[in-house]
Amino acid sequence: MGTPGEGLGRCSHALIRGVPESLASGEGAGAGIPALDLAKAQREHGVLGGKLRQRLGLQLLELPPEESLPLGPLLGDTAVIQGDTALITRPWSPARRPEVDGVRKALQDLGLRIVEMGDENATLDGTDVLFTGREFFVGLSKWTNHRGAEIVADTFRDFAVSTVPVSSPSHLRGLCGMGGPRTVVAGSSDAAQKAVRAMAVLTDHPYASLTLPDDAAADCLFLRPGLPGVPPFLLHRGGGDLPNSQEALQKLSEVTLVPVSCSELEKAGAGLSSLCLVLSTRPHS
């Protein structure tokens, strides 16, 4: 329940998109999204890119910001990637659907096989899809419906795909994720615990579990870098974010913890899983 887990190849590339001024001003960002501190948001975004490139050894590809796409930095919602296949999503919000165009082209240029969602009745946000390395779980939420989940199953036929009701305004990956190859981390809210219990019933694979005080802390990225002999990393909220969860994360002994902050970008609904797309194979250049 993260990207990637056991059973995946080592990561080679990460894709991010710059922060536009329109997000910082709140212009066009949608009802209920406050104006952001542009400098702070861009600084957080820059640190994330630096950690992906320098600490994890990934080749970083950064799409330029687009003022017409204020939520463009949340590009994790635009695609679901496994192996050499990228499913281009159909976001619930019509205003966000143009975000997929630049992501589609970038993934095509990297040589991935592109699958489109042609059904106008389907909605799917990528951050409702959790992959454990063994199976997929798709959160049925405000943003993702049954038809969207069916298309995930049709696209990734080599893996079991199960649906999990999300009983909160969050995406599934805002409630739980992978803290290691066999460890699920989840927030302590009722919605997060219900999701974890539902997944435990649906899976045939044993997973250890770790409960964190903050739901947002469970939105982390378990990554196997492409550098030989380097242990897996867990990219997680840190830098003063969510201090109550930091001690609990220290219990994850199978990973090297890499903290980053996204407290300003979080105001626009961003979690770590929404701020980058990681490719787990080496696509053709």
Side-chain angles (χ1 to χ4, degrees):
M1 286 166 260
T3 307
E6 186 173 278
L8 283 175
R10 293 183 177 273
C11 306
S12 60
H13 293 68
L15 183 67
I16 61 176
R17 176 183 267 147
V19 179
E21 293 183 8
S22 57
L23 176 59
S25 67
E27 178 185 348
I33 298 178
L36 307 186
D37 180 329
L38 177 62
K40 184 176 181 181
Q42 291 178 332
R43 186 164 59 249
E44 289 177 348
H45 196 263
V47 170
L48 170 63
K51 292 283 181 77
L52 291 167
R53 181 179 61 250
Q54 298 168 9
R55 187 76 173 88
L56 278 66
L58 304 181
Q59 182 171 332
L60 184 68
L61 307 174
E62 183 169 2
L63 300 179
E66 295 189 40
E67 297 304 326
S68 63
L69 303 175
L71 293 181
L74 280 64
L75 83 178
D77 286 327
T78 64
V80 178
I81 302 171
Q82 159 54 26
D84 62 356
T85 298
L87 171 63
I88 304 301
T89 67
R90 188 170 185 270
W92 171 81
S93 170
R96 295 196 62 194
R97 290 175 190 165
E99 295 174 20
V100 306
D101 297 335
V103 173
R104 178 192 295 109
K105 184 180 186 306
L107 297 178
Q108 284 176 329
D109 291 346
L110 283 169
L112 272 71
R113 181 176 74 92
I114 303 298
V115 177
E116 303 283 356
M117 293 183 65
D119 190 334
E120 293 186 358
N121 294 316
T123 61
L124 177 70
D125 273 12
T127 48
D128 269 323
V129 182
L130 286 75
F131 184 53
T132 71
R134 302 174 178 185
E135 60 194 318
F136 285 92
F137 292 98
V138 182
L140 299 180
S141 69
K142 170 183 175 180
W143 297 275
T144 297
N145 63 15
H146 279 281
R147 183 62 189 128
E150 289 174 351
I151 294 175
V152 174
D154 290 341
T155 303
F156 302 105
R157 293 178 178 271
D158 290 341
F159 297 93
V161 177
S162 302
T163 58
V164 178
V166 176
S167 59
S168 81
S170 178
H171 291 86
L172 182 59
R173 288 174 73 173
L175 301 175
C176 51
M178 292 301 286
R182 302 176 187 85
T183 301
V184 177
V185 293
S188 59
S189 71
D190 289 343
Q193 291 300 304
K194 285 178 182 177
V196 169
R197 289 195 295 269
M199 288 186 283
V201 171
L202 293 165
T203 185
D204 292 328
H205 303 289
Y207 299 105
S209 64
L210 176 66
T211 298
L212 304 175
D214 305 287
D215 286 1
D219 190 349
C220 53
L221 291 168
F222 171 64
L223 302 168
R224 297 182 187 275
L227 303 175
V230 176
F233 291 95
L234 187 73
L235 196 68
H236 69 93
R237 295 284 296 276
D241 292 7
L242 312 173
N244 292 336
S245 291
Q246 300 311 310
E247 184 177 351
L249 285 166
Q250 299 297 321
K251 298 175 183 178
L252 297 170
S253 59
E254 295 184 277
V255 295
T256 298
L257 297 174
V258 179
V260 292
S261 174
C262 63
S263 59
E264 194 66 22
L265 291 164
E266 185 180 41
K267 296 176 184 177
L272 286 183
S273 61
S274 68
L275 290 173
C276 61
L277 287 168
V278 178
L279 315 187
S280 58
T281 61
R282 296 191 178 274
H284 302 293
S285 300

